[in-house]
């Protein structure tokens, strides 16, 4: 059992990582932006003592030295799981709102660990399929994406749209972490997680319908009748369940074999049409709000689609991926529980 620093503990992915860490017997300190968020996490785990779960405030991850105090602990940390990063498409200033927090937040925590937490042996960083895909190549039928691929986006292209800014922030932050490893030669290893669209049940004590993670907004939109006449385009056609992704983070922190590797964490293909079909088949009470079978939009591209290679995640981390049906059914139930 290890002492773990988990950053961004109130985020969608991190909240599931926290649950997996507790289940596996680890002791955790999580970073949050406010005492209120930290207290919510503690209140949701009333049977867990403070030596097993506590929080520390990091208000702005993009400030130099933001993590200097957070990485210091008694007993000292052995593992760090860094999930904190901005993910939303409503940024107004790409550099200030997206690029800087992601890049500085990632290199900043690595510097803090090197300087103040020599006991840390492994660091796991949440990256994204956005750092793997080359969007300009389109759907690339016949091409297989893997951990060997990098998004070639430039800083100039990052300014073109909020989506481009987000993809650039994930790409530059991940590249910066590998460069840090190469140049600084710290006494810890790195593993990066590169998931595409992340679906799965929300954590009720942290999320409501007003602040859903971007990926789950599409499930809520289909459930609530917003896609009754036409399903929106799917966009990214591969996905993973947040619980499988959380376990992948924890396994990568625990297993020496995961050291200094990227992990393309995907369960496979999906479309918005698939989501609508699963909801229709499993929630007859929502039928009136759902698009009828065969409603236009939301399908797969007629000219085919890229392939994916997720063997490393299965072989090194031992992840067995959930089905889309299980993920969507559990997501809908969790949204219904908060009034969806």
């Amino acid at each position: 059992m290890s002492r773990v620093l988990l950053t961004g503990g109130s985020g969608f992915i991190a909240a599931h990582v926290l649950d997996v860490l507790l289940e596996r017997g680890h002791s955790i300190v999580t970073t949050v932006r406010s005492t209120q968020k930290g207290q919510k996490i503690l209140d949701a785990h009333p049977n867990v003592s403070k030596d097993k779960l506590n929080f520390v405030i990091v208000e702005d991850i993009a400030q130099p030295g933001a993590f200097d105090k957070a990485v210091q602990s008694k007993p000292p940390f052995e593992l760090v799981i860094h999930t904190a990063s901005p993910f939303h498409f409503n940024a107004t200033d790409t550099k200030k709102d997206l690029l800087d927090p992601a890049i500085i937040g990632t290199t900043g925590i690595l510097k803090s660990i090197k300087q103040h937490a020599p006991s840390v042996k492994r660091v796991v960083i949440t990256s994204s399929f956005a750092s793997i895909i080359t969007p300009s190549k389109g759907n690339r039928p016949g091409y297989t994406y893997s951990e060997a691929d990098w998004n070639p986006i430039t800083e100039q292209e990052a300014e073109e749209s909020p989506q481009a800014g987000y993809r650039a922030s994930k790409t530059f932050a991940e590249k910066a972490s590998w460069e840090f490893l190469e140049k600084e030669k710290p006494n810890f290893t790195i593993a990066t997680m590169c998931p595409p669209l992340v679906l799965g049940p929300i954590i009720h004590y942290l999320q409501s319908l007003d602040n859903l993670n971007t990926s789950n907004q599409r499930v809520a939109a289909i459930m609530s009748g917003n896609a009754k006449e036409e399903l929106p385009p799917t966009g990214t056609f591969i996905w993973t369940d947040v619980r499988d992704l959380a376990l992948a983070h924890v396994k990568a922190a625990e297993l020496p074999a995961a050291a200094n590797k990227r992990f393309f964490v995907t369960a496979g293909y999906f479309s918005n049409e698939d989501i609508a079909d699963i909801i229709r088949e499993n929630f007859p009470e929502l039928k009136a709000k759902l698009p009828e079978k065969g409603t236009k939009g939301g399908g797969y591209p007629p000219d085919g689609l890229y392939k994916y290679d997720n063997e490393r995640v299965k072989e090194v981390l031992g992840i067995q991926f959930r089905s889309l049906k299980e993920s969507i059914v559990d997501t809908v139930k969790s949204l219904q529980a908060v009034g969806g």
Side-chain angles (χ1 to χ4, degrees):
M1 304 308 108
S2 299
R3 181 98 167 132
V4 185
L5 177 67
L6 171 65
T7 70
S10 60
F12 174 53
I13 295 167
H16 283 275
V17 171
L18 189 142
D19 284 348
V20 175
L21 286 168
L22 287 173
E23 279 165 24
R24 294 170 79 86
H26 297 291
S27 114
I28 307 139
V29 175
T30 185
T31 71
V32 286
R33 289 203 190 100
S34 68
T35 303
Q36 183 194 6
K37 282 188 170 172
Q39 198 55 50
K40 266 189 182 175
I41 294 171
L42 298 189
D43 291 347
H45 300 88
N47 301 323
V48 181
S49 60
K50 277 211 168 168
D51 62 329
K52 275 290 197 185
L53 176 61
N54 213 337
F55 68 88
V56 61
I57 308 290
V58 177
E59 284 180 7
D60 182 1
I61 66 172
Q63 289 302 311
F67 291 100
D68 282 357
K69 285 198 176 114
V71 299
Q72 299 179 57
S73 164
K74 287 181 183 173
F77 293 117
E78 296 145 284
L79 310 173
V80 174
I81 299 179
H82 179 52
T83 75
S85 184
F87 176 20
H88 46 74
F89 290 147
N90 52 8
T92 49
D93 180 334
T94 302
K95 188 162 168 51
K96 180 171 159 289
D97 294 343
L98 283 174
L99 300 187
D100 287 353
I103 297 162
I104 297 167
T106 301
T107 53
I109 194 169
L110 298 178
K111 284 177 189 162
S112 296
I113 295 165
K114 189 184 178 201
Q115 286 170 6
H116 303 289
S119 53
V120 171
K121 293 290 171 269
R122 283 194 278 280
V123 178
V124 177
I125 297 168
T126 310
S127 186
S128 170
F129 178 50
S131 70
I132 289 178
I133 192 173
T134 304
S136 61
K137 300 272 191 189
N139 294 321
R140 294 188 96 172
Y143 187 80
T144 301
Y145 279 112
S146 74
E147 290 89 354
D149 292 285
W150 280 96
N151 185 341
I153 194 164
T154 63
E155 212 165 298
Q156 194 177 349
E157 289 167 337
E159 303 286 341
E160 289 170 10
S161 71
Q163 285 86 345
Y166 168 70
R167 290 191 188 113
S169 77
K170 298 308 276 188
T171 305
F172 297 162
E174 192 190 342
K175 279 191 168 169
S177 67
W178 291 115
E179 283 164 16
F180 182 92
L181 191 73
E182 200 177 312
K183 287 180 187 160
E184 299 290 329
K185 302 193 170 26
N187 57 352
F188 54 80
T189 62
I190 287 176
T192 58
M193 302 288 124
C194 301
L197 202 89
V198 184
L199 300 168
I202 64 168
I203 298 279
H204 298 155
Y205 64 88
L206 291 170
Q207 288 187 291
S208 66
L209 295 177
D210 300 330
N211 69 346
L212 279 186
N213 58 297
T214 309
S215 302
N216 269 340
Q217 284 170 5
R218 69 179 66 210
V219 181
I222 293 169
M223 280 170 69
S224 60
N226 290 357
K228 193 164 169 52
E229 303 305 319
E230 183 175 351
L231 282 158
T234 302
T236 300
F237 291 93
I238 54 175
W239 73 287
T240 196
D241 185 283
V242 66
R243 294 161 293 185
D244 296 334
L245 178 59
L247 182 59
H249 278 77
V250 177
K251 287 280 205 72
E254 291 173 345
L255 296 170
N260 300 334
K261 291 183 175 72
R262 297 177 92 196
F263 291 93
F264 182 14
V265 189
T266 182
Y269 297 118
F270 88 104
S271 70
N272 283 344
E273 187 177 15
D274 291 340
I275 292 176
D277 289 348
I278 290 167
I279 300 173
R280 195 184 308 107
E281 285 159 20
N282 292 278
F283 297 91
E285 72 275 19
L286 296 176
K287 194 176 175 191
K289 292 183 175 178
L290 297 173
E292 289 182 11
K293 192 153 180 66
T295 296
K296 69 175 180 177
Y300 290 98
D303 58 341
L305 197 55
Y306 51 77
K307 299 186 177 94
Y308 58 87
D309 178 356
N310 62 1
E311 285 307 306
R312 180 181 286 178
V313 178
K314 293 192 278 194
E315 285 172 14
V316 178
L317 305 180
I319 302 298
Q320 295 177 306
F321 289 105
R322 284 171 167 81
S323 67
L324 183 64
K325 178 182 172 181
E326 181 185 347
S327 188
I328 297 302
V329 167
D330 290 349
T331 302
V332 172
K333 285 178 180 170
S334 78
L335 294 173
Q336 286 177 323
V338 293

